[in-house]
Amino acid sequence: MTNDVVCRVAFGRKYDDDGGFKLMLEEFGAVLGTVNVADFIPWLGWVNRFNGLDRRVEKVFAEFDEFLDRVVEDHRLTTGEKSEEEEDIVDVLLQIQRETSNSAVDRDTIKAIVLDMFAAGSDTTYTALEWTMTEILRHPRVMEKLQQEIRVILGDERNVNEEVIERMDYLKAVIKESFRLHPPIPLLVPRESTQDVKVQGYDVPEKTRVIVNAWAIGRDPKRWGDDAEEFRPERFLNSKVDFKGQDFELIPFGAGRRGCPGISFATASMEITLVSMLHRFDWSVPGGEEGGGLDADEAPGLAVHRRTPLLAVPTLYSP
Ligand code: HEM
């Protein structure tokens, strides 16, 4: 679903009819999440020629490059035929390219921006949704309270929009609590210090690779109390703490000038999906908690998924 959302926004259409596209995205995500020895010990880079990583990277690069070339070309041929509402990101970037005389937005830049959206935007949002649903299913009290909020505010209205979502305080608290315990990119993206600094008594020289552990920060009992490991959305109800990068105890999207630019996009996707799923359906897991489908085991990768995909069963809700 999150791939379809990015596809619709970036290309103006879904690619779910094309099995090859899904496989290509899966391989792209897998290669991105693979530990690359050369990142840590550059002179060992030759290992990737033998363990197959170089070959996999080149293959998926060639496939994506050809695919994106086709997409940009299709858009170039239909340029000017769409209304403003129908335009997607490729259309907008092509328009900027036409209107600016310098070559800042060339074809490779357009392809890179769109690729960035897939790399950064679809697996992360999907992972966040899967962890949120897992926690809701593990905590029936939370599910009930959340459904009550959604059902009272929405009533029979089927159209979920940002205005009604603004009134759903408990939904927002549930999403924050899920990000606190399960930041989809637990170690964020590596940074490099630009100057010598001292952090809590430790000297960090200029040009040191710095990795921030958002996962550990979110579970630190010194900040969150003795129930830091517990899923308790109420802790955010009368709190101003948010994940927009101002409160360093909750930074699933990083912070600062290289913080995630997709926060609003990701939050809107999550809110609309959760509200739609919980408004008209009740959810259960085959076998319940004892059935083992609600464990919190994590699988390694850039975005940290559940080890086994969540399997949940919807039942139509009738008031
Ligand atoms: C739940 C969903 C998401 C999470 C948890 C997430 C998290 C992150 C994190 C931790 C970073 C690195 C920030 C830093 O180093 O301080 C990042 C960067 C980035 N994200 Fe997201 N992201 C999500 C969704 C999205 C979406 C939907 C998009 C675009 C459609 C997006 C686009 C980007 C881009 C382009 C960067 C690189 C920014 C740069 O290097 O300047 N992300 N994201």
Side-chain angles (χ1 to χ4, degrees), residues 116-117 120-121 124-125 184 188-189 191 252-255 258-262 265-266:
D116 226 11
M117 286 184 68
T124 43
T125 312
L188 307 182
V189 173
R191 304 290 191 100
F253 294 96
R258 297 303 296 267
C260 176
F265 190 118

Side-chain angles (χ1 to χ4, degrees), residues 43-69:
W43 63 266
L44 277 180
W46 55 269
V47 169
N48 294 336
R49 286 205 300 277
F50 296 98
N51 66 14
L53 187 60
D54 278 355
R55 193 182 40 78
R56 285 175 67 195
V57 170
E58 277 155 25
K59 183 165 178 283
V60 76
F61 164 77
E63 283 171 5
F64 234 119
D65 197 52
E66 195 196 320
F67 169 76
L68 291 173
D69 258 333

Side-chain angles (χ1 to χ4, degrees), residues 19 26 32 66 76 80 121 140 144 163 185 209 211 218 248 271 281 285 301 304 318:
E26 275 170 16
L32 265 183
E66 195 196 320
R76 216 180 47 79
E144 207 183 309
E163 203 185 306
I185 312 182
R209 175 177 284 214
I211 293 175
F248 295 138
E271 290 171 346
F281 295 99
V285 172
V304 171
S318 53

Side-chain angles (χ1 to χ4, degrees), residues 250-263:
L250 188 67
I251 47 166
F253 294 96
R257 65 201 289 193
R258 297 303 296 267
C260 176
I263 299 186

